[in-house]
Amino acid sequence: MRSDDESGFLARTIAAEDGLKLYVRDYACSEATAHNRPPVFCLPGLTRNSRDFHQLALLLSQGSLGPHRVITLDARGRGLSERDPDKSHYNLAVEAQDVLTVCAALDISQAIFIGTSRGGLVLHILAASRPDILKAVILNDIGPVLEKTGLADIRDYLNRDRKPASWSEAVEILQENHGNAFIALGEEDWQDMARAIYAIADDKPVADYDPAIAAQMQALDLESPISDLWTQFQGFQGIPLMVIRGESSKLLTQFTTDEMAKRHPGIVVKIAGGQGHAPILHLGDIPEAIGAFISEL
């Protein structure tokens, strides 16, 4: 099932506190047993969107890992959510409040949250402010410490900003930027990644996010200290926690992962072989690892 497939979910529009319209995919499941299971709420990375989770959401809602209701969100300024005229609102606090607003609108009092990269940082904020809403958490290649080498990689490929003229060129750009870190991906996987990241405008693929979001990263001063989130990480105490680390990730190191395990006894650690930042969650044996973690709840 490709990420550009438009089946298996209900598209919703939910107004944020400031009125900005947020796009949500609601993967409902009809089985009665699902009502006794917490929903799964997926939060994508900095410039990514809900299409990243489509294949995993189908597995969790209708496939071998289900049945669970699954919610995937396009954060403000990404995908089909509205772009914010106030660019200062592209911050973790506002995005965390957006998650709470969506939960309230969908009558979700508690969920299993999966946060990829930026989405995982949002979950750190919620762990500190609203831990009651977190039934369990899966952090995808993100933790309390952001390595400067990893941030530099993200900044550099955003700065290159090469614009594809076709889908094949979009795939080529992704392979140039990420090929060394994602040796596990086949040709279909690269094509699928392209269709998750890019939208179509004037018959050409275009990056599916507000350029102001990339501009924040492009202007990042890596000579200054980067604050850690260990204080917020403490909010995960008592909450079942899993961390998935890309084998080639430069943003989340093995050292930080080990420290997370020391501070959160019982954490489940999964290494995504042949992948970098951030692992694609429907590939390899990652779905089975996620399914095993969720089933233990």
Side-chain angles (χ1 to χ4, degrees):
M1 188 68 67
R2 300 188 66 93
S3 63
D4 58 339
D5 177 76
E6 293 295 314
S7 62
F9 61 89
L10 176 64
R12 299 181 181 272
T13 301
I14 295 173
E17 277 194 337
D18 58 4
L20 189 121
K21 294 178 181 176
L22 301 171
Y23 173 79
V24 174
R25 289 182 171 191
D26 189 345
Y27 296 78
C29 48
S30 58
E31 295 187 41
T33 53
H35 295 292
N36 298 321
R37 301 182 179 190
V40 179
F41 199 128
C42 302
L43 305 176
L46 176 69
T47 59
R48 306 294 278 265
N49 58 73
S50 59
R51 296 194 297 277
D52 273 350
F53 296 104
H54 181 60
Q55 292 94 324
L56 179 67
L58 290 176
L59 288 172
L60 287 167
S61 61
Q62 303 165 25
S64 59
L65 305 183
H68 289 269
R69 182 187 186 187
V70 180
I71 306 299
T72 64
L73 171 66
D74 286 358
R76 60 177 60 216
R78 291 85 160 175
L80 294 178
S81 288
E82 285 187 327
R83 298 186 177 187
D84 200 321
D86 185 344
K87 307 308 179 185
S88 70
H89 289 170
Y90 295 134
N91 66 68
L92 294 177
V94 171
E95 291 166 24
Q97 181 55 53
D98 287 345
V99 172
L100 295 176
T101 299
V102 170
C103 285
L106 298 179
D107 196 27
I108 294 173
S109 59
Q110 197 173 56
I112 301 165
F113 283 88
I114 302 176
T116 293
S117 195
R118 171 83 163 205
L121 296 180
V122 170
L123 293 178
H124 279 73
I125 302 303
L126 291 176
S129 60
R130 283 291 308 276
D132 59 290
I133 206 166
L134 307 176
K135 174 68 173 178
V137 169
I138 299 174
L139 298 174
N140 184 21
D141 211 59
I142 197 70
V145 177
L146 303 179
E147 298 297 328
K148 289 187 177 182
T149 53
L151 292 172
D153 274 359
I154 296 171
R155 181 195 62 188
D156 291 347
Y157 74 68
L158 289 175
N159 274 326
R160 285 193 286 273
D161 194 28
R162 179 181 161 196
K163 294 176 172 56
S166 65
W167 282 115
S168 61
E169 195 171 339
V171 170
E172 179 183 302
I173 291 169
L174 291 175
Q175 290 175 326
E176 286 179 2
N177 287 333
H178 308 296
N180 289 338
F182 284 85
I183 59 174
L185 272 61
E187 187 60 32
E188 279 194 20
D189 300 322
W190 288 109
Q191 293 176 13
D192 203 45
M193 183 192 290
R195 294 182 183 276
I197 292 174
Y198 292 97
I200 285 289
D202 298 325
D203 295 323
K204 293 181 180 180
V206 294
D208 204 7
Y209 56 86
D210 188 336
I213 296 169
Q216 291 179 348
M217 179 61 71
Q218 289 164 334
L220 186 64
D221 178 13
L222 293 179
E223 298 302 317
S224 301
I226 304 295
S227 298
D228 65 52
L229 293 173
W230 285 119
T231 299
Q232 291 82 356
F233 182 80
Q234 286 301 113
F236 292 122
Q237 293 299 322
I239 298 169
L241 182 63
M242 177 180 187
V243 59
I244 299 168
R245 178 180 177 269
E247 182 181 32
S248 303
S249 176
K250 295 180 182 178
L251 192 68
L252 176 63
T253 64
Q254 188 62 52
F255 180 85
T256 297
T257 305
D258 292 342
E259 185 62 26
M260 293 164 71
K262 290 178 184 177
R263 300 193 188 201
H264 192 295
I267 192 174
V268 175
V269 176
K270 171 64 181 173
I271 303 300
Q275 297 204 60
H277 181 79
I280 298 171
L281 297 181
H282 62 268
L283 295 184
D285 60 354
I286 301 177
E288 287 72 23
I290 290 173
F293 173 74
I294 290 176
S295 68
E296 290 295 318
L297 302 176

